[in-house]
Amino acid sequence: MSPLDRTPPVLRGQDGEGSVQVHQDASARIEGAKVFSVYGKGGIGKSTTSSNLSAAFSMLGKRVLQIGCDPKHDSTFTLTGTLVPTVIDILKEVDFHPEELRAEDFVFDGFNGVKCVEAGGPPAGTGCGGYVVGQTVKLLKQHHLLDDTDVVIFDVLGDVVCGGFAAPLQHADRALIVTANDFDSIYAMNRIIAAVQAKSANYKVRLAGCVANRSRETDEVDRYCKTVGFNRIAHMPDLDAIRRSRLKKKTLFEMPDEEDVVQVRREYVRLAETLWNGTEPLAPAPLPDREIFELLGFD
C-alpha cells in the first residue's frame, strides 16, 4: 500500500468560517528548519523574490530548500537554469508508487547548493493544489531530505483564493507578502493577511511583513501598513537588472557586479538576515474592501 494519500482528506470549518480544504497530516509537518511561505498577487515577482532570497540565505551559509507551488513550475528556474520536472509529473510516471523514486528524481541542485523542488499541480480546473503540496512534503520526509535543511521557502501561486493554495501556511513559521506600490497589489495583500489570520487560529504561522517589489516609491504600501499594523521589511526597486536576470535564467547573485545589482543583492541579504534572526509575529487587522478603496483611491 502506498504511503501517499490516494484521496485528499478534507476537513470542514477548521481554518476559518466556511473553510473546506485539504488538511495536512500532522506527521508530515516540517521540523528543524525555519519555514517561510511567499505570497502575493499573480505577476508581482514572488518567484524572483523567493529565488534571490534562497540565494541570499545560501550566501549566509544556510542549507536551503525551495519548493515551487505553481503548476507552471518556474519558481526555481533562475536557480537551476532550467525548468525541472514536477513532483506530480514524476509520480504519474511511476503510477503514484513513491517507493520507486530516488531523491534525485525530484530534487535538483541550484545556485550555491540550494535544493530545488517543483511541486507542480493538477490540470487546470481539477484536483487540489493543497494535496500536491502535502504529498511533496511527505516525499521529502520519506527520503530524509529535510533532516539537513536550515531554511525551507515555499513559493506559492498567486492570491489566496482557496484552502488548497493556503496549504503551505500549515507548515510555515512566517508568511512573507510580496507587493507593490499600487492598489491591486495592496488589495491582494489585504486578502492574504486575512487568510493567514484564519490559519493562525490553528497553526503556528504568523506574518513576518511585506516586501515592496519593483516599486520606485513605497508611500502607498507604508500608508496601508501604518493603518492596519503591518511592517514593510524590504524594498526592491524597479531595476532593469532584475528583469534581465530572469531572461538570463540567473539569480542576481550570478549577474555582473554592476552598482544597481550589488545594491539589490545587499537588500536580499539584509532580508535573509532579518528573517533568520526572527521577526515579530504580526497580527494586522485586514480592512473591508470599501475601506481599502477609501484609503488608497482618488476622487
Side-chain angles (χ1 to χ4, degrees):
M1 181 70 180
S2 168
L4 288 175
D5 298 328
R6 298 292 183 171
T7 303
V10 176
L11 292 184
R12 294 174 181 268
Q14 294 217 357
D15 293 292
E17 187 69 25
S19 175
V20 180
Q21 63 192 67
V22 169
H23 182 77
Q24 305 301 319
D25 186 344
S27 67
R29 288 179 182 168
I30 298 173
E31 299 172 350
K34 295 190 178 186
V35 184
F36 305 100
S37 288
V38 179
Y39 283 91
K41 84 178 188 70
I44 197 62
K46 295 180 297 300
S47 293
T48 300
T49 300
S50 297
S51 295
N52 283 294
L53 183 57
S54 288
F57 272 120
S58 78
M59 299 300 286
L60 296 174
K62 309 306 178 187
R63 299 166 298 180
V64 187
L65 169 68
Q66 182 168 319
I67 303 174
C69 306
D70 190 327
K72 70 179 186 291
H73 63 102
D74 66 342
S75 171
T76 60
F77 88 93
T78 56
L79 290 163
T80 63
T82 187
L83 288 176
V84 302
T86 70
V87 168
I88 199 69
D89 287 340
I90 292 168
L91 281 170
K92 286 178 183 177
E93 290 178 4
V94 296
D95 196 27
F96 290 88
H97 288 286
E99 65 276 6
E100 298 182 20
L101 296 180
R102 302 164 301 168
E104 53 265 36
D105 291 330
F106 59 94
V107 180
F108 302 89
D109 290 330
F111 168 76
N112 205 34
V114 175
K115 300 297 183 184
C116 300
V117 177
E118 293 285 353
T126 68
C128 177
Y131 171 69
V132 176
V133 170
Q135 301 316 300
T136 297
V137 174
K138 279 189 177 183
L139 266 179
L140 291 167
K141 293 200 77 169
Q142 287 161 15
H143 287 266
H144 304 286
L145 294 168
L146 296 169
D147 295 349
D148 298 318
T149 301
D150 300 313
V151 175
V152 177
I153 294 179
F154 285 98
D155 174 18
V156 189
L157 172 71
D159 192 4
V160 179
V161 295
C162 73
F165 282 104
L169 294 173
Q170 299 181 26
H171 298 286
D173 300 293
R174 291 287 186 268
L176 184 67
I177 303 175
V178 182
T179 188
N181 205 45
D182 61 70
F183 179 87
D184 290 341
S185 302
I186 295 171
Y187 179 86
M189 176 164 63
N190 191 68
R191 286 174 54 84
I192 294 163
I193 286 173
V196 176
Q197 299 291 64
K199 282 290 185 184
S200 67
N202 293 293
Y203 301 98
K204 63 181 178 179
V205 64
R206 297 294 184 270
L207 286 155
C210 65
V211 174
N213 190 49
R214 294 190 311 215
S215 298
R216 183 180 300 275
E217 306 294 339
T218 64
D219 55 318
E220 302 298 341
V221 172
D222 294 339
R223 189 144 60 100
Y224 171 83
C225 287
K226 182 178 180 180
T227 301
V228 303
F230 202 36
N231 288 342
R232 174 176 57 80
I233 57 176
H235 175 207
M236 307 303 170
D238 187 11
L239 298 178
D240 190 59
I242 298 175
R243 179 190 65 85
R244 286 187 281 113
S245 74
R246 295 282 290 180
L247 292 174
K248 291 180 178 293
K249 306 181 184 68
K250 296 180 183 296
T251 66
L252 287 167
F253 293 85
E254 301 167 86
M255 295 287 285
D257 292 335
E258 299 169 0
E259 183 179 355
D260 56 352
V261 172
V262 172
Q263 174 191 348
V264 181
R265 281 186 205 151
R266 289 199 192 104
E267 182 71 347
Y268 273 112
V269 170
R270 189 192 65 78
L271 175 59
E273 289 174 334
T274 297
L275 293 171
W276 180 259
N277 292 331
T279 59
E280 178 187 355
L282 300 175
L287 294 175
D289 290 353
R290 184 175 296 277
E291 290 186 21
I292 297 178
F293 182 82
E294 290 174 354
L295 177 70
L296 302 175
F298 296 93
D299 293 333

